[in-house]
Amino acid sequence: MEIPLEKIVLLAALAGEVLLKNGGETRRVEETMEHMARACGAAGVESFVIPTGVFLTVSDASGQSLTMIRRVRDRTINLDRIAKVNELSRRLVERRIDPGSAKAILLRISQERSGFSLPTSIAASGAIGATTAVLQAGGFFEIGAAFVAAGAVRYIAHVVSRLQGTPVAYEFLGGAVVAVIGSVLYYYWPQLGRDSIIIGGIMPLVPGMAITNALRDFIVGDLVSGLSRGMEALLTAVAVAMGVFIVLATVL
């Protein structure tokens, strides 16, 4: 049975939107939309993806075409959702699922509650800070302080997101709070390594995924996406650095 273009473009664009919102790189999003659209019977597929939007055009054998644009405003990193969409795409291409069921599963993936509880996230963030302090040759107390500082960064992210603040605000505040914690502890206990505490505390703020995706986009020739992701990573680094710098400059 021939599937209408409207249903094809809705399904493929929804898959691309879910991938892009959850940290999928540009090339992966484009390829997934193309595979899913062709699996549904589209004769031609043209897609263009940037970090803030998905543009998709599908056409049938008669030459009739339909275009859809999906604006993406909020982005995060959720590799679980990316893996689920990729698996769904493979099932659709291999004819192990029909398009109607695929759309229902996609909607469920996009709406499901993701991530861990706040205490678990704080503990995981603290573990990142603590292990970084170990790499910085920090002692037992530096490791514990870095754990607390990195956990505070995760809590700040939670508060800022609840207040619908921008990521830059949370990154700046996170860097400032980590510098305050390191400076206060160093003031009362000068034997502590302040640098180890601060470096460990800001480690959860490092835009590692954004840098990786930017480099990947540049390598495969997606210059617009690579540039925008690179600027996003640079802005994050500047916000964190300014938060730390202002506090340290004030203390010193």
Side-chain angles (χ1 to χ4, degrees):
M1 183 178 64
E2 184 177 353
I3 303 174
L5 287 179
E6 292 84 357
K7 292 186 177 181
I8 296 177
V9 74
L10 281 172
L11 175 63
L14 177 60
E17 181 183 10
V18 173
L19 286 174
L20 194 60
K21 279 184 174 180
N22 292 280
E25 64 269 20
T26 300
R27 182 57 59 90
R28 182 192 299 271
V29 176
E30 292 178 345
E31 290 179 349
T32 299
M33 290 195 299
E34 180 175 353
H35 292 326
M36 295 184 72
R38 291 191 183 279
C40 293
V45 182
E46 292 291 341
S47 62
F48 179 67
V49 176
I50 57 176
T52 55
V54 172
F55 305 81
L56 177 67
T57 298
V58 298
S59 57
D60 56 21
S62 66
Q64 183 180 4
S65 63
L66 184 64
T67 299
M68 174 169 285
I69 300 174
R70 287 291 184 96
R71 182 76 163 84
V72 175
R73 291 182 172 84
D74 301 319
R75 297 186 302 279
T76 185
I77 303 296
N78 192 319
L79 300 182
D80 180 58
R81 282 182 177 174
I82 293 177
K84 288 180 179 178
V85 174
N86 288 336
E87 174 61 22
L88 178 64
S89 174
R90 284 190 289 269
R91 292 172 60 190
L92 184 63
V93 171
E94 295 169 0
R95 302 291 193 272
R96 291 188 283 133
I97 190 173
D98 61 273
S101 300
K103 183 179 180 181
I105 294 174
L106 265 178
L107 288 173
R108 187 165 65 248
I109 292 173
S110 65
Q111 296 170 2
E112 68 183 4
R113 185 180 182 277
S114 61
F116 299 95
S117 64
L118 180 60
T120 302
S121 299
I122 291 176
S125 182
I128 293 174
T131 52
T132 303
V134 172
L135 296 177
Q136 295 294 317
F140 177 79
F141 293 104
E142 285 86 354
I143 293 172
F147 181 93
V148 173
V153 166
R154 179 62 187 87
Y155 183 74
I156 291 171
H158 172 73
V159 172
V160 172
S161 65
R162 292 290 296 271
L163 297 176
Q164 298 183 345
T166 63
V168 173
Y170 131 68
E171 291 150 2
F172 175 82
L173 289 175
V177 168
V178 168
V180 168
I181 292 174
S183 298
V184 170
L185 292 176
Y186 180 74
Y187 177 80
Y188 287 103
W189 294 281
Q191 68 274 19
L192 293 180
R194 182 179 59 183
D195 293 345
S196 299
I197 297 172
I198 293 177
I199 293 173
I202 66 174
M203 189 53 60
L205 298 170
V206 174
M209 187 63 122
I211 294 173
T212 301
N213 285 342
L215 292 175
R216 182 185 289 115
D217 288 340
F218 272 121
I219 291 172
V220 300
D222 293 322
L223 302 181
V224 174
S225 294
L227 182 61
S228 60
R229 290 183 190 273
M231 290 300 297
E232 181 180 20
L234 178 62
L235 182 60
T236 297
V238 170
V240 175
M242 287 301 297
V244 174
F245 173 78
I246 289 175
V247 172
L248 293 183
T250 302
V251 172
L252 298 177

